[in-house]
Amino acid sequence: MYSALWDLVTPQTVFLFFLILSVLILARLYPIVDIFVVKFVPQSIYDWIRGTSRERLCLEHVLATALRGDPESVLDAIDQFTESHRWMFNIGREKRKKVTDRVVQDTKPKTVLELGMYCGYSAISIARLLEPGSRMYTVECNNRYAEIAKQIIAHSGL
């Protein structure tokens, strides 16, 4: 059996192993590389190699730095995390203020349905501007994201 495994070790497999290892190390050191790695390495494998997910790291950052019960502080903490630590799928500070905030303030919706809440950034962004009596429903099919979003939204006080 040992010799059969040794036969699998070729110069190509050794090269591929070190190439993948180098990319993962670079992604850990330089967040911009994270964007490219996520496109080619399945998220579950990448998270396993890193020992955690960027969503979990974001949650930990929010809990450590944002003021409990302050939605604006939570949004700022997420923005700060994505700008300085890890790239994530969220709209960001500038577009939030120019687009999301303006739409909610102009339309004053009584009911909002969000499909896909990821880590809760847009849900917090929208819900904090809703008038009293308004309702917001948000749906997330990924249980891991939903659990993280629940904790971040709860921390915001919404």
Side-chain angles (χ1 to χ4, degrees):
M1 177 164 167
Y2 179 73
S3 65
L5 289 175
W6 186 252
D7 292 339
L8 295 175
V9 179
T10 65
Q12 293 86 357
T13 57
V14 171
F15 174 77
L16 184 60
F17 172 78
F18 282 110
L19 177 66
I20 292 170
L21 184 63
S22 299
V23 168
L24 293 173
I25 289 169
L26 284 172
R28 200 160 180 73
L29 297 174
Y30 303 101
I32 191 70
V33 178
D34 224 8
I35 296 168
F36 301 106
V37 172
V38 168
K39 291 185 183 289
F40 302 108
V41 177
Q43 187 66 46
S44 57
I45 293 172
Y46 191 49
D47 292 346
W48 178 78
I49 291 168
R50 290 188 319 187
T52 188
S53 67
R54 65 177 164 235
E55 295 81 19
R56 172 88 30 213
L57 292 172
C58 180
L59 169 63
E60 292 169 5
H61 178 78
V62 167
L63 296 178
T65 62
L67 297 172
R68 178 175 283 285
D70 183 355
E72 203 64 46
S73 175
V74 170
L75 293 172
D76 288 342
I78 295 171
D79 287 333
Q80 192 258 338
F81 176 81
T82 59
E83 290 165 2
S84 63
H85 291 87
R86 295 271 184 252
W87 181 84
M88 291 178 56
F89 298 102
N90 69 5
I91 192 168
R93 181 177 293 129
E94 290 80 24
K95 287 181 184 175
R96 171 174 46 99
K97 291 182 179 184
K98 289 180 183 175
V99 179
T100 308
D101 289 4
R102 178 185 265 170
V103 168
V104 174
Q105 290 167 340
D106 288 351
T107 60
K108 296 179 178 34
K110 295 295 179 201
T111 305
V112 176
L113 172 62
E114 177 187 41
L115 301 176
M117 68 176 160
Y118 189 44
C119 289
Y121 186 91
S122 294
I124 294 168
S125 178
I126 294 167
R128 79 189 206 293
L129 297 174
L130 293 176
E131 294 182 348
S134 299
R135 292 189 165 262
M136 180 165 184
Y137 302 93
T138 185
V139 179
E140 176 57 62
C141 61
N142 183 313
N143 291 333
R144 187 169 47 121
Y145 295 161
E147 283 304 313
I148 289 170
K150 283 181 195 176
Q151 293 178 59
I152 291 175
I153 292 168
H155 191 78
S156 77
L158 298 173

